[in-house]
Amino acid sequence: MDFGTVIGLLAGVSIIIIGILRSGGDLFWFYSLNSIIIVLGGVMSATFINYPVKAIMGLFNILRNVFKSEIYDYEGTIDNIVQIAKKSRKDGLLSLEADLPTIESVFLRNGIELAINERESSRLRTFLQLELNNIATRHVAGQEIFLYMASYAPAFGMLGTVLGLIIMMNNFSSGADISDINYNVAEQFSRLLSGMGLALITTFYGVFLANMIFLPIGGKLKRKSENELMLKNIVLEGIISIHAREHPLLIREKLMTFVSLSKRIG
Amino acid sequence: MDFGTVIGLLAGVSIIIIGILRSGGDLFWFYSLNSIIIVLGGVMSATFINYPVKAIMGLFNILRNVFKSEIYDYEGTIDNIVQIAKKSRKDGLLSLEADLPTIESVFLRNGIELAINERESSRLRTFLQLELNNIATRHVAGQEIFLYMASYAPAFGMLGTVLGLIIMMNNFSSGADISDINYNVAEQFSRLLSGMGLALITTFYGVFLANMIFLPIGGKLKRKSENELMLKNIVLEGIISIHAREHPLLIREKLMTFVSLSKRIG
Amino acid sequence: MDFGTVIGLLAGVSIIIIGILRSGGDLFWFYSLNSIIIVLGGVMSATFINYPVKAIMGLFNILRNVFKSEIYDYEGTIDNIVQIAKKSRKDGLLSLEADLPTIESVFLRNGIELAINERESSRLRTFLQLELNNIATRHVAGQEIFLYMASYAPAFGMLGTVLGLIIMMNNFSSGADISDINYNVAEQFSRLLSGMGLALITTFYGVFLANMIFLPIGGKLKRKSENELMLKNIVLEGIISIHAREHPLLIREKLMTFVSLSKRIG
Amino acid sequence: MDFGTVIGLLAGVSIIIIGILRSGGDLFWFYSLNSIIIVLGGVMSATFINYPVKAIMGLFNILRNVFKSEIYDYEGTIDNIVQIAKKSRKDGLLSLEADLPTIESVFLRNGIELAINERESSRLRTFLQLELNNIATRHVAGQEIFLYMASYAPAFGMLGTVLGLIIMMNNFSSGADISDINYNVAEQFSRLLSGMGLALITTFYGVFLANMIFLPIGGKLKRKSENELMLKNIVLEGIISIHAREHPLLIREKLMTFVSLSKRIG
Amino acid sequence: MDFGTVIGLLAGVSIIIIGILRSGGDLFWFYSLNSIIIVLGGVMSATFINYPVKAIMGLFNILRNVFKSEIYDYEGTIDNIVQIAKKSRKDGLLSLEADLPTIESVFLRNGIELAINERESSRLRTFLQLELNNIATRHVAGQEIFLYMASYAPAFGMLGTVLGLIIMMNNFSSGADISDINYNVAEQFSRLLSGMGLALITTFYGVFLANMIFLPIGGKLKRKSENELMLKNIVLEGIISIHAREHPLLIREKLMTFVSLSKRIG
């Protein structure tokens, strides 16, 4: 579990609830199925037009990723690579073939397999780099959906508010009972405000969804992607070094340059 | 048919209709020919100034593309290329000339023809790359029109609302019948709100058009373009490999790197 | 005449006029010399600070360009280049010197002259490319003025509205005649609305100028620039090919790759 | 004196004053020391946090630059360089040492000095290019301050308006004298409007400062920077050519390519 | 202590307080624990979702950095490097090993150590450049947090205002006592305004936090990062030059090119 995400979400919702109660509001004033339909429905419809169905289905996988704890064991990975490098230097690259099934990380395993089969170093790098770019592209596409939703949410919130205001104004003018003077003014004004309050709920939902859900999740995905790509970059450099038969100690030193970074930026 | 687009559009319209009805509104309150003229007319006029007539005529082709189902048969294309590569390796590049008419994809056919006539590999790549860049430029230009329209729509929505408010305010002050006191206030207020409701309809249209139509369609075009360009990139790499007389198995392996990506990002 | 621009502008103005009349408004409600002074004067003042006087004077040339019909005769240009290439191949590059005065296009003429005098191919390309970059920079600077004006216009529209509101509110409170009760409320309210209507006219002007004039013209300039640069790119590649004494047929084939693009994106 | 800047500023201020007077406003309605403190003070405070003290002190130099007339004597500079090139070609590069004190432009003088001492052409270019990049970076930093201030100004304008509204609303409710009915409504409403008018003045200042002062000055600095860098680029290319002992006529021709650009974009 | 930051912050807060008092407001009207909870709580929650816990903990270090005085002793650093270069030229690179513990700057010390162990110049540059990029990436990540917070703050300010308005409107309509006519109108209106004033406080906080705290601090971090990276760039070039056994005088001259820049942009 990624506690930051969970705690942040819980805290965010709690803070809004506390804010409502402390301001003397009732929670049910902020519940409106209609508003949910307009805002969430609008965001989902626009997203469906914007993205192929498959990409939207992939959202659930992406979301699960957001809540998974992020352990990027840079040092463990480097130890692993150095072990492989030692064996390769002693017994030759081909000796690694037997160990392939024991390598957990898919990227490392496929990389070692490629290194065994590919003679030319520059081609090996090209292949691995292409694979890495593909992963980065996929990550960016995942983040992009959330940024799109973060821009749709306040727009449909505003749409709902305009919609509510139009209805309120039409209701008001069509229901105006002119025969009865002062009473009318007070009650009508009260009805007016109540309608406006209802209309504003969609804006409330839109701003909340965009700034508490979609934008931060998009930001977290970006962060996770940077960490994962850095880990994969270490693996890539490691595989290239093993392929070039560099000395294991040198490989470790080189890969540790990345780690000092990851430690500092967490 | 691209069901995502169709379902998204239908859902989007339905949701707004449901939202209106459930909020106690009448649908005809949201119909105003005048507002349609201002918002859609304004968007179309600005687009006509912005783009040459030919580009706007091309919009219909682009729109048809948005609703067409997107089948990018990466694996079939690779099979196809590998078949051609096998024949070329056995019977020589020139033997492909007879098969040209049977190749469906225009890009692949032209590419093979170029490969037959061009000796130099780097020139072949340059030509194909130029063609690909041209296609990408055309795609970007198509997406851009929708993004421009998505920025014009809320602007003309707002223009219409300001226009409506100015008329309402002038109507109000010029029609004020001051001799008759309280009655006046209630009725005038009701007229005021009704005018404001009418004025807001253009904002409603502008926000709806931008966020439910123009922006998502621009986004979908971007998505489709990425997929089509990836397919064409596979073809490009395949043609270069055939021209370089690489082994068909190697060609397949190489091209499959692209496919693993396309599968994952859908 | 560029009919798109003219029709777009006429349609845009007509639509707004129709919108006003159909909404029951009077056209003169939307005329306010004062508002024109504030919005247009503000935009021009800011532009004068922003740009050197010479650049603003150049605006008239740029505007004339926007209304000129855009005929980019790619195929005629290529025919022309191929003719020159044929002669050059038969009689030598120096033989072209006599024909220089008959070449209409300045860029082509200067380019051929350079090709005659310059031995080294890479230097020729560098010179022509520098010239092309200069033209592109000039185009971008021209578009930028319109984008700046498009951002100033709504800002000064808003400034004028705030200015009008401040005046209205001060007028109101300083003119409040408190001795006379109900009459006052109705009349004051009517005066208030009338003042607000007046204040909104600058917003109306600002939004209209930005979205119907400045932004679309900036967009059209971008489009025209792309077309002109593509034509000049064809000429550049043609001159380089002539200089390299390539076969005229090959030159035609190569240059036609650009044309297929221009045809498709119009 | 840069007349564009001065005329633009005077015109901008005059237009606003004319707008106020013609709308029936009093100029002193738009003067509020308090609002100036909030908007200008806020902008300056934020800028002080944002930038080191030295950079803000440098603002005065930058501002002086904005008002200085911009004479970029491209052709004179080229003549100058060609003269130096002729002497260098006749008497050798070392002969230039004696003339160094007579060269006015610091950049040209330092460049020639470097050219005399540095044997290797690529190192000479690297040094000059680094110097040029440094100048460009300094220019961008200067422009950036104005863009920051242009974004702070409307923000603090809005802050002041919100602040004013909060005070007005609290004043109103705490001062409500409920015993006295209709009189109250009219007077309170008048007080309300007066308070709102006062609150809006900060928005007025913020929008004015951003769009009439900060943004256009930032734009002008960008323009001036482009011109100065182009002049320095000519000098750079000239020094490299002198160092390479190219023929003075060729140097002139080459450098004139830049000039044709500068003439056209003014 | 960085006096610019401290003075700016104090001035910013003072100016707002002066503005409130001079406008006839009470400071406690601007204090609302509830509003602080919503705005600051919302910003922190969103940041917690957006960033891993470690990154947020790192904020305190970053903030301390903002308040630390910035002394970038370019010339002292260059003197230092030139001393090291002299010794290295006289006694050989290996002789520097003994002095390593006396070098204060971590980056310089590690760099010299690397220079001693690494034969190949290009690899040395790659390593140092990678380290520099890592530092730059970390800086950018630190600035980014503040930019995110600067975008969340006004959003949650607006959310709080919408929330307050909804509560006010519901309170109003649910508490409307219709039996009692005119009294009601005046009092209700006063209650309405008071509620609106309260609702606006979150907007006030959001705008203040974004424009007086988060944005300027993000800007200052950017500035400090540029200075630190320039210093580290000088060190990098110095180490490379020492490794290449260039003449100390030449090294000084080269490194001083950077200094002239730093002096000018402060």
Side-chain angles (χ1 to χ4, degrees), chain E:
Chain E
M1 284 286 281
D2 180 335
F3 287 110
T5 309
V6 177
I7 290 171
L9 275 173
L10 290 180
V13 173
S14 311
I15 275 158
I16 300 303
I17 292 176
I18 291 169
I20 292 172
L21 295 179
R22 280 183 51 101
S23 306
D26 270 317
L27 282 185
F28 75 88
W29 289 347
F30 288 83
Y31 170 75
S32 155
L33 179 57
N34 209 8
S35 302
I36 294 173
I37 288 174
I38 292 174
V39 178
L40 258 189
V43 170
M44 290 318 296
S45 302
T47 310
F48 256 81
I49 303 173
N50 206 331
Y51 283 92
V53 182
K54 261 196 281 180
I56 297 173
M57 292 303 136
L59 267 184
F60 296 101
N61 284 320
I62 293 174
L63 269 177
R64 212 173 27 181
N65 204 21
V66 169
F67 285 101
K68 257 206 322 222
S69 180
E70 42 173 348
I71 303 169
Y72 300 104
D73 185 3
Y74 298 105
E75 291 174 40
T77 304
I78 293 176
D79 286 346
N80 213 346
I81 291 171
V82 171
Q83 287 310 321
I84 296 173
K86 277 182 187 159
K87 185 161 183 204
S88 159
R89 219 174 139 90
K90 212 175 56 187
D91 307 332
L93 205 56
L94 280 166
S95 73
L96 298 178
E97 199 139 38
D99 300 342
L100 280 176
T102 67
I103 299 176
E104 250 179 281
S105 150
V106 182
F107 186 71
L108 179 54
R109 189 167 59 234
N110 289 354
I112 296 290
E113 204 174 352
L114 255 169
I116 296 172
N117 294 322
E118 180 64 58
R119 232 13 84 87
E120 214 178 310
S121 168
S122 73
R123 270 178 72 103
L124 176 62
R125 180 179 280 280
T126 307
F127 267 90
L128 292 172
Q129 196 63 57
L130 181 60
E131 186 74 19
L132 219 64
N133 291 347
N134 288 355
I135 293 170
T137 305
R138 188 183 43 160
H139 285 183
V140 166
Q143 294 157 33
E144 227 181 28
I145 297 189
F146 285 92
L147 299 185
Y148 265 108
M149 291 201 291
S151 92
Y152 287 138
F156 285 106
M158 190 197 157
L159 189 83
T161 297
V162 172
L163 185 153
L165 290 176
I166 293 174
I167 289 173
M168 177 202 77
M169 285 161 180
N170 277 289
N171 264 332
F172 188 84
S173 60
S174 66
D177 182 359
I178 293 163
S179 58
D180 160 8
I181 303 160
N182 276 307
Y183 174 84
N184 198 15
V185 169
E187 205 205 54
Q188 292 295 342
F189 194 62
S190 154
R191 263 181 60 198
L192 204 82
L193 284 178
S194 161
M196 221 179 269
L198 210 66
L200 279 174
I201 291 180
T202 54
T203 292
F204 179 80
Y205 287 175
V207 175
F208 182 83
L209 282 175
N211 291 285
M212 199 66 102
I213 312 284
F214 297 142
L215 270 184
I217 284 184
K220 172 136 272 169
L221 283 174
K222 196 182 157 206
R223 238 345 162 65
K224 295 218 172 195
S225 164
E226 282 169 11
N227 285 332
E228 197 185 321
L229 288 176
M230 205 198 301
L231 190 64
K232 291 225 170 5
N233 243 317
I234 293 177
V235 173
L236 185 153
E237 290 297 334
I239 293 170
I240 298 284
S241 297
I242 291 173
H243 187 262
R245 301 180 167 274
E246 293 184 11
H247 192 282
L249 282 180
L250 210 97
I251 295 178
R252 175 183 296 280
E253 182 201 353
K254 191 172 162 184
L255 299 183
M256 287 307 275
T257 326
F258 287 96
V259 175
S260 66
L261 166 68
S262 69
K263 263 193 181 143
R264 273 170 291 172
I265 69 165

Side-chain angles (χ1 to χ4, degrees), chain A residues 195-255:
Chain A
M196 221 179 271
L198 210 65
L200 279 175
I201 291 180
T202 54
T203 292
F204 179 80
Y205 287 174
V207 175
F208 182 83
L209 282 175
N211 291 285
M212 198 66 102
I213 312 285
F214 297 141
L215 270 184
I217 284 185
K220 172 136 271 169
L221 283 174
K222 196 182 157 205
R223 237 353 166 57
K224 296 217 172 194
S225 164
E226 282 169 10
N227 285 332
E228 198 185 320
L229 288 176
M230 206 198 299
L231 189 64
K232 292 226 169 4
N233 242 318
I234 293 177
V235 173
L236 185 152
E237 291 297 333
I239 293 170
I240 299 283
S241 297
I242 291 173
H243 188 261
R245 302 180 165 273
E246 294 183 11
H247 193 283
L249 283 179
L250 210 98
I251 295 178
R252 175 184 296 281
E253 181 200 355
K254 192 172 161 185
L255 299 182

Side-chain angles (χ1 to χ4, degrees), chain A residues 158-174:
Chain A
M158 189 196 156
L159 190 83
T161 297
V162 172
L163 185 152
L165 289 177
I166 293 174
I167 288 174
M168 178 202 77
M169 285 160 181
N170 278 288
N171 264 332
F172 187 85
S173 60
S174 66

